Amino acid sequence: MKNVFERANRYLNLPLELGPRGLLVLAALLLLPTYFLPLWKLTMFAPQYPDGLRLGIYSFKLEGGNAGQDTKEINLLNHYIGMKDLAAGDFTEFKWMPFVIGALALLLLRTAVLGKLGTLVDLFVLFFYFAAFSLWSFGYKLYRYGHDLAPTAAVKVPPFMPPLYGHRKLANFDVYSYPAAGSYALAAVAVLLAVALWLAWRESRSEIASETRMAG
Amino acid sequence: MNPRKWLAAGLTILFFGAVLILGRCAPSAPKGKKAIAGSSDLAIAAQKTYVAPGDLDEYYMFASGGHSGQIYVYGIPSMRHLSTIPVYTPYPATGYGFDDETKKMLGNLTWGDVHHPALSETNGDYDGRWLFVNEMNGRVARIDLRDFKTRQIFGPMPNISGNHASSFVTPNTEYAVMASRFSIPIPKGTTAPIEKYATDYKGVIAAVKIDAKTGEMSQGFEILMPPFDYDLGDAGKKVSDGWVFFTCYNSERATGKLEVTASQRDRDYIAAVDWRAAEKAIAEGKGDLIGGVKVLDPRKVPGVVYLMPCGKSPHGVDVAPDGKWIIGSGKLQGVTTAFNFEKVQTAIRNKDFTGDEDGIPVLKYESIKDAEVPVGLGPLHTQFGPDGFAYTSLFVDSAIAKWKLGTWEVVDKVPMSYSIGHLAAAEGDTVSPDGKYLVGLNKLSHGRHLSVGPSQPESSQLVDISEEKMKILADAFTEPEPHYAQIIKADKLKPIEVYPKAENKNPLAIWDLKDAGVTREGSNVTAKVVLVRSTISPTAIEVNRGDLVKIAMTNIEQTTDELHGFGLLDYNINIVVDPGETKTVTFRADKPGVFPYYCTNFCSALHQEMQGYLIVK
């Protein structure tokens, strides 16, 4: 058992080659678009809204289509079913997400400079934890909006889950929910991290193999 | 039988035989009447006018509403009535004339006989900014085409009486014009016996100044004229820019039964006004102040106005797109006259006059005309196409004649149903007519539509003028009564659909339900009201009997089509507020009781619930 950890430590302490380091810098750059591109897009169509109502979710704000008017319209419509207004203040994510993304970018750059395979593994895990938590948080938010309906609402609807991904018919609305450019950038970061990890793993394996051969 | 009896029997047979052979009954329809000339192949006409559901028309047509006091907006080629713009008359459908602002704008006159719409122009072409329209009480209104709302009613202009020859703007919208159809002693408010009509009654031509940036109208100047009946006008363009032309009838200066007394002379006049010279004279301080406005007397200030003899009792006068020809016709004749502007200028330079009327030189007819075009009976108005063709409406013939400028050749005629007055071609009175469509605005419509009783609508007929032969494409039935219309390419207009919140400067506007409520200062009560789907906030307003109540309502929506109404029963209050708009209504709460108010303009699934109570204690 001890042997396994010793072996693992040998791998994890190996410094990174140039390839993975480059990928990490690229990954850090790819985090930047999340500061100006939306992560998620909700689009709603109904017969009386042929042009659709649009809502962009950023890491730091909500942005309604039609110069913000769509958010007001969505809130106006939702008040009939007793849903809470979509208000930036209710999204704690907008406070911590930009900070966390910034921190991740700094860690990526740090790894690119000082990096060892071990810190790359840490980053990989941390990034996926961040992505999974964010998704859960977004989904939970949607769940709460769809379930915390005022009991005095003019129109009583059974609690519902707005779509996190894909299309859903809600009353007279066709609602489409899809990740947007910001999320695709994050996905690209994940891919780059995976590739960097794979490259680093392969290199370290061949290095250790040659070391063992020489020692033998 | 004796021979005499034989003879009698023979003659009787002959007589009845002759009756049988020669006798005919009166026909039930004109003989030899074939298919109506000018009607199109049905499939082609249908295709050319069919605007599929959801598709948009190519042109707007703004038609005057005559004594309805309104402007009607149509889509061309569908001929669908798109909306009504109230101008001089309250219009409950949009709450016009009920709120404080529009009530004040209408003043004491809640009726106006709307005549000639004039789209604002830049370099003689429609620029899509404003629509001006006159009415007979001496007023001109400005409709802002950004929101299709009447924004100013200017007048009544002093001294003007029966403002028919209006509103015809100049090529860069420097002025709209006015003229008296019913001469009176001036200043208005003074009297003179009718026997002294020829000397003591005065015609007046007026120019209304238009601010180039805002469109705001103000007093320009006036010109004292002989007591003729000034009927229609048109501003010169291109080579004739700087001039404006007015027809007049009753140069006899007659009174009484005008249909006889004013039809005695063979010629009446077109007055040619050099408005730049008039403007200059006014700037030099030459006018006399009459009734509060500077008036130029042509006796004292020569060179401002000349009279061009025209066929008896002319109606329309229309300037060709290049400004070279001025088309005017005696409305009882069979020809229309093309006057040459250059020849008019030469005649003025050479003092080629045949006399004068109250100091205004009369030009020699033969010296200024280029041609008399045999268009047909009763020529009234002329519009133009892009290819040098002119289209003249013929009231008596009930037809439109197509003829060529320069060659003076009449090439086609199309019958109108019935008795056409004005006509409007696509941008057909600008420096660059579009051709393609022409609408005949007919006075009579009988038998062309399902009967609706004695109050018959007017008829508008869409004519295809894109080919050599004119073709009637469609009939539409318009509310009384279009006197003129203008057709503008749709893409020249970019109307807004909500009033942006940022533009609302009304001090009583509120945007948050929390701010809605009632404040009191003595017996003055102000209620700030928010209208938004689906509540009128506050839902109850309490006042005391005798209070002066001002209700300021803001529709805080910023969504297209989300209009809200405020109807207050028993108080004759009916307001409609567009998205982003604030309107106020002020009234004395003189009836005690509880009065419901509610949203009149269907807005949402819970529109019915949008209601409240005014409690007058």
Side-chain angles (χ1 to χ4, degrees):
Chain A
M1 191 68 197
K2 194 181 161 204
N3 208 14
V4 176
F5 282 116
E6 264 172 23
R7 261 175 72 103
N9 283 342
R10 276 173 64 199
Y11 281 116
L12 295 173
N13 279 325
L14 284 173
L16 292 170
E17 294 292 316
L18 222 51
R21 282 175 201 261
L23 290 177
L24 288 176
V25 174
L26 201 59
L29 288 175
L30 270 173
L31 286 176
L32 290 179
T34 60
Y35 289 96
F36 49 90
L37 292 175
L39 297 173
W40 223 265
K41 269 186 177 169
L42 280 150
T43 315
M44 285 147 259
F45 294 97
Q48 52 277 79
Y49 296 94
D51 301 332
L53 296 172
R54 288 177 174 74
L55 189 66
I57 300 164
Y58 290 68
S59 62
F60 58 98
K61 67 165 182 182
L62 284 174
E63 191 178 85
N66 188 14
Q69 178 53 29
D70 285 357
T71 320
K72 287 182 193 159
E73 193 65 20
I74 290 165
N75 285 337
L76 226 158
L77 293 170
N78 284 340
H79 101 272
Y80 288 118
I81 58 166
M83 193 191 274
K84 274 178 70 180
D85 276 359
L86 296 170
D90 291 343
F91 286 77
T92 45
E93 292 86 343
F94 294 163
K95 298 203 176 72
W96 60 257
M97 255 182 129
F99 173 79
V100 170
I101 291 171
L104 278 170
L106 289 175
L107 287 177
L108 280 168
L109 291 176
R110 182 180 183 274
T111 311
V113 180
L114 310 172
K116 292 184 178 160
L117 183 56
T119 36
L120 185 53
V121 171
D122 288 347
L123 257 179
F124 190 77
V125 172
L126 196 61
F127 188 82
F128 272 87
Y129 172 71
F130 159 74
F133 182 83
S134 300
L135 261 182
W136 171 81
S137 172
F138 172 48
Y140 182 68
K141 204 113 255 169
L142 286 178
Y143 176 88
R144 290 264 59 107
Y145 272 110
H147 285 73
D148 296 345
L149 302 176
T152 54
V155 182
K156 299 262 188 310
V157 297
F160 64 96
M161 178 66 192
L164 183 62
Y165 183 89
H167 165 252
R168 190 151 187 183
K169 185 102 183 154
L170 293 172
N172 57 335
F173 275 91
D174 280 298
V175 184
Y176 298 86
S177 174
Y178 288 104
S183 287
Y184 290 116
L186 289 179
V189 171
V191 171
L192 287 178
L193 277 176
V195 173
L197 196 61
W198 179 69
L199 283 177
W201 174 253
R202 214 180 50 170
E203 279 159 9
S204 57
R205 253 180 42 155
S206 58
E207 202 164 308
I208 288 184
S210 62
E211 250 175 52
T212 317
R213 235 177 286 124
M214 271 189 274
Chain B
M1 269 205 305
N2 62 33
R4 196 178 288 171
K5 277 189 180 167
W6 277 113
L7 188 67
L11 283 176
T12 311
I13 290 166
L14 261 178
F15 174 74
F16 282 107
V19 167
L20 268 178
I21 293 162
L22 301 172
R24 286 277 194 281
C25 290
S28 61
K31 288 186 177 183
K33 194 181 173 189
K34 300 201 181 79
I36 298 166
S39 61
S40 298
D41 176 280
L42 287 182
I44 293 173
Q47 207 169 33
K48 284 195 170 175
T49 55
Y50 184 68
V51 176
D55 282 356
L56 305 180
D57 279 296
E58 200 181 339
Y59 286 90
Y60 286 97
M61 178 168 85
F62 293 93
S64 70
H67 45 286
S68 77
Q70 297 164 342
I71 287 283
Y72 299 109
V73 187
Y74 294 86
I76 305 279
S78 74
M79 299 296 281
R80 291 179 298 195
H81 173 220
L82 303 178
S83 88
T84 297
I85 306 172
V87 187
Y88 295 108
T89 309
Y91 186 55
T94 60
Y96 185 81
F98 288 84
D99 66 295
D100 291 345
E101 195 187 347
T102 54
K103 226 168 155 175
K104 190 175 156 218
M105 197 160 63
L106 284 174
N108 297 323
L109 297 165
T110 54
W111 168 79
D113 191 358
V114 166
H115 273 263
H116 310 111
L119 287 158
S120 57
E121 296 179 8
T122 300
N123 298 323
D125 217 347
Y126 299 153
D127 58 23
R129 296 201 288 167
W130 309 298
L131 179 74
F132 296 89
V133 69
N134 67 308
E135 67 96 17
M136 293 292 280
N137 288 299
R139 295 182 291 172
V140 173
R142 182 183 79 251
I143 293 159
D144 195 332
L145 293 178
R146 182 173 179 252
D147 58 2
F148 283 50
K149 295 280 167 67
T150 304
R151 286 297 170 209
Q152 188 192 4
I153 295 178
F154 170 78
M157 183 82 163
N159 307 326
I160 288 284
S161 164
N163 179 38
H164 189 278
S166 184
S167 51
F168 320 111
V169 296
T170 53
N172 283 299
T173 322
E174 297 96 338
Y175 292 99
V177 296
M178 291 186 178
S180 289
R181 188 170 130 204
F182 314 124
S183 294
I184 52 164
I186 63 165
K188 220 179 204 174
T190 58
T191 62
I194 199 79
E195 293 74 29
K196 293 204 161 174
Y197 181 85
T199 52
D200 291 12
Y201 284 56
K202 298 292 172 198
V204 172
I205 285 171
V208 178
K209 184 126 195 61
I210 298 167
D211 185 276
K213 278 221 172 69
T214 63
E216 195 72 10
M217 293 175 283
S218 56
Q219 260 182 24
F221 55 86
E222 291 186 348
I223 301 169
L224 200 62
M225 298 293 290
F228 307 153
D229 294 38
Y230 298 88
D231 205 14
L232 274 137
D234 196 13
K237 40 175 108 75
K238 291 198 163 169
V239 292
S240 51
D241 186 10
W243 290 73
V244 57
F245 305 91
F246 297 91
T247 52
C248 60
Y249 58 95
N250 193 19
S251 61
E252 292 86 349
R253 308 186 191 214
T255 56
K257 232 183 211 180
L258 287 193
E259 62 171 323
V260 177
T261 57
S263 304
Q264 297 304 307
R265 292 171 68 169
D266 278 344
R267 294 211 185 283
D268 287 294
Y269 300 113
I270 294 171
V273 177
D274 184 344
W275 63 260
R276 289 230 169 83
E279 194 180 44
K280 193 163 155 258
I282 289 289
E284 287 164 1
K286 281 184 182 151
D288 306 315
L289 204 65
I290 304 176
V293 59
K294 283 279 181 106
V295 185
L296 291 173
D297 183 347
R299 272 191 235 262
K300 298 185 210 162
V301 189
V304 164
V305 50
Y306 301 89
L307 294 172
M308 301 156 52
C310 181
K312 182 195 280 192
S313 305
H315 196 45
V317 55
D318 298 283
V319 180
D322 55 10
K324 257 165 87 174
W325 287 291
I326 301 131
I327 315 299
S329 346
K331 64 177 176 260
L332 304 171
Q333 297 183 317
V335 297
T336 190
T337 304
F339 297 93
N340 186 319
F341 180 74
E342 289 305 326
K343 288 185 179 174
V344 170
Q345 295 303 298
T346 310
I348 290 171
R349 268 197 307 277
N350 299 342
K351 297 202 173 357
D352 196 358
F353 306 144
T354 58
D356 76 292
E357 296 269 12
D358 296 356
I360 304 171
V362 177
L363 303 171
K364 194 172 164 199
Y365 178 72
E366 286 72 22
S367 304
I368 57 173
K369 72 143 200 250
D370 257 2
E372 285 177 348
V373 187
V375 285
L377 272 183
L380 295 187
H381 306 279
T382 300
Q383 292 270 295
F384 304 93
D387 39 16
F389 284 104
Y391 302 85
T392 299
S393 61
L394 307 168
F395 181 81
V396 180
D397 269 357
S398 188
I400 295 170
K402 176 181 178 180
W403 53 281
K404 185 98 183 169
L405 290 164
T407 68
W408 320 119
E409 188 188 353
V410 179
V411 295
D412 191 25
K413 259 189 202 185
V414 67
M416 286 280 108
S417 307
Y418 304 92
S419 298
I420 182 173
H422 276 276
L423 73 176
E427 311 213 346
D429 61 2
T430 69
V431 294
S432 61
D434 283 8
K436 209 159 181 181
Y437 302 114
L438 182 150
V439 175
L441 302 161
N442 307 322
K443 298 299 178 195
L444 311 177
S445 64
H446 56 79
R448 302 286 295 194
H449 51 80
L450 289 177
S451 179
V452 291
S455 275
Q456 299 264 318
E458 315 291 315
S459 114
S460 298
Q461 288 182 294
L462 182 69
V463 181
D464 181 359
I465 54 167
S466 61
E467 288 162 34
E468 200 183 325
K469 285 274 180 198
M470 295 181 281
K471 299 264 172 60
I472 294 173
L473 295 177
D475 279 13
F477 301 95
T478 39
E479 296 225 23
E481 100 151 31
H483 288 289
Y484 185 39
Q486 284 182 325
I487 300 175
I488 179 172
K489 195 81 195 287
D491 61 16
K492 285 193 177 173
L493 303 191
K494 305 262 181 302
I496 56 166
E497 297 200 338
V498 298
Y499 290 101
K501 179 183 170 186
E503 280 181 24
N504 187 324
K505 302 281 184 257
N506 193 309
L508 296 175
I510 51 169
W511 299 91
D512 198 316
L513 291 177
K514 289 199 292 282
D515 300 326
V518 180
T519 52
R520 167 183 291 279
E521 260 180 66
S523 62
N524 291 337
V525 175
T526 304
K528 289 188 192 169
V529 170
V530 168
L531 306 173
V532 68
R533 279 167 283 171
S534 305
T535 307
I536 300 176
S537 308
T539 52
I541 298 172
E542 275 192 30
V543 302
N544 299 322
R545 188 180 183 180
D547 282 346
L548 188 67
V549 181
K550 175 180 256 191
I551 299 180
M553 52 212 103
T554 305
N555 177 349
I556 66 169
E557 309 264 7
Q558 289 283 282
T559 306
T560 295
D561 254 339
E562 283 302 337
L563 284 65
H564 293 296
F566 181 90
L568 176 59
L569 297 180
D570 301 317
Y571 266 91
N572 196 38
I573 285 171
N574 158 55
I575 312 293
V576 178
V577 193
D578 293 347
E581 195 179 32
T582 300
K583 279 187 176 169
T584 60
V585 61
T586 309
F587 60 98
R588 185 73 65 184
D590 48 10
K591 278 191 290 272
V594 175
F595 304 94
Y597 51 77
Y598 67 103
C599 178
T600 51
N601 213 297
F602 203 102
C603 58
S604 60
L606 294 174
H607 160 75
Q608 293 300 92
E609 283 73 8
M610 201 165 164
Q611 62 183 54
Y613 290 106
L614 170 74
I615 297 161
V616 184
K617 290 182 287 195

